[in-house]
Amino acid sequence: MSRRPLLPTLVLGLSLAVFGFGCASEQGGRKLTPREQAALFVEAAAGALKDNDLVAALQALAEAENLDSDFAPIYNARASVYFLRKEYPAALEQAKKSVQVDPTYSIGLITLGKILLDQGKLDEAVAPLEKASRDPLNREAFKAFTHLGVIRYRQKRFEEAQKDLDRAIELAPNQACLALYYRGHLKLREDHFKEAIRDYSGATRRLCGSFSDAHMALATAYERSGQFELARKKYVEIQQVFSNTEIADRAMERLRALP
């Protein structure tokens, strides 16, 4: 779902990094600092992540750390790699290190909060997420508000969840896929079907198009509101778009149960 500009391929990312150090260690007549060189390797790691080459990403991050061990994005990126490798204790350790190196690094605070949330450590996740949400220069503050909204939803603190999710959607209406999805849950639990359908629809558009759970939630909202033809069309669409997946099987089951 949700993402930042990355190098288009690992090959390009690594070649830029190597070129920067080996052949063009100067830019505009100025030699690159260790921090700038480390940033190039972090960018290369981002390219590797995009290509799902996790080993290459770790190699690039090791080079970055050798150049500048006080650069917080190194540990934030490594936390993401370990998370994708399902090495959750290591991911948490690296996320914590990123904010130890730079306590003001909001992207690292969001990563730390998200990992704690995913591990069920809801109370621990709140502090870093709230800190990131208060940073006026944080371009990804909507993620912090989204995760806070999810935490409060799971804690059944529904009014607080609504406020956090509203803020996430206000900050990034075209990117707040998860916030729209959970706000739809809030509306559906109150049988406010029109508003739930609106939010679930928003969670399936533009950058959110591949969010299969939101598509399923939209079909469910149609069904619960008695709009069976719309529900039927949506379940069929889910089968076609997400064929050979568990969610397509669920859509088939619901389709068979429709009146």
Side-chain angles (χ1 to χ4, degrees):
M1 281 190 273
S2 30
R3 328 287 191 195
R4 289 166 300 285
L6 299 174
L7 293 177
T9 65
L10 170 61
V11 173
L12 175 58
L14 290 176
S15 66
L16 284 173
V18 172
F19 183 75
F21 308 143
C23 304
S25 59
E26 297 183 1
Q27 286 186 351
R30 178 181 63 82
K31 186 175 181 179
L32 293 174
T33 67
R35 173 64 52 92
E36 289 169 333
Q37 294 177 20
L40 285 176
F41 270 119
V42 172
E43 192 173 9
L49 277 176
K50 185 177 180 181
D51 287 346
N52 201 34
D53 191 340
L54 304 185
V55 172
L58 289 174
Q59 290 172 336
L61 293 171
E63 295 287 352
E65 187 175 7
N66 287 336
L67 287 159
D68 186 347
S69 61
D70 291 327
F71 191 36
I74 296 169
Y75 308 106
N76 181 66
R78 192 177 282 147
S80 298
V81 175
Y82 283 136
F83 191 85
L84 290 172
R85 286 164 60 106
K86 303 187 187 305
E87 297 176 21
Y88 301 121
L92 181 58
E93 178 187 3
Q94 291 297 307
K96 287 180 176 179
K97 188 168 184 178
S98 76
V99 298
Q100 288 168 356
V101 168
D102 182 357
T104 68
Y105 181 45
S106 291
I107 304 304
L109 290 164
I110 292 171
T111 299
L112 175 58
K114 178 63 166 64
I115 291 174
L116 289 167
L117 166 59
D118 286 348
Q119 292 187 344
K121 300 175 180 178
L122 304 186
D123 292 335
E124 291 181 51
V126 169
L129 291 170
E130 286 187 336
K131 186 173 181 179
S133 74
R134 292 192 298 267
D135 179 0
L137 300 180
N138 180 11
R139 296 180 185 274
E140 298 196 351
F142 77 95
K143 293 182 180 179
F145 281 110
T146 296
H147 300 324
L148 287 167
V150 172
I151 289 169
R152 280 143 188 170
Y153 177 87
R154 293 184 182 176
Q155 293 174 332
K156 303 188 184 303
R157 296 158 60 185
F158 297 123
E159 289 186 11
E160 294 172 72
Q162 171 96 37
K163 290 178 182 177
D164 289 324
L165 297 171
D166 284 347
R167 183 61 176 146
I169 294 162
E170 178 185 342
L171 288 171
N174 296 324
Q175 296 175 272
C177 312
L178 194 63
L180 285 162
Y181 175 71
Y182 270 91
R183 195 172 72 176
H185 287 356
L186 290 173
K187 299 304 180 183
L188 193 62
R189 69 179 294 274
E190 297 173 347
D191 292 337
H192 294 166
F193 298 118
K194 184 176 181 180
E195 294 177 359
I197 288 167
R198 176 203 64 198
D199 283 341
Y200 288 143
S201 294
T204 65
R205 295 177 187 157
R206 300 183 183 90
L207 295 176
C208 309
S210 63
F211 190 4
S212 60
D213 284 342
H215 285 275
M216 192 69 182
L218 176 57
T220 301
Y222 283 140
E223 183 179 350
R224 283 187 53 182
S225 64
Q227 300 181 72
F228 297 121
E229 284 307 309
L230 287 174
R232 184 172 287 106
K233 288 174 63 175
K234 191 64 185 177
Y235 285 133
V236 170
E237 178 191 330
I238 291 168
Q239 287 182 285
Q240 294 171 343
V241 174
F242 302 102
S243 58
N244 301 315
T245 65
E246 182 270 339
I247 206 152
D249 294 339
R250 285 167 50 200
M252 173 60 78
E253 291 175 7
R254 295 307 312 152
L255 190 58
R256 289 171 178 162
L258 283 177

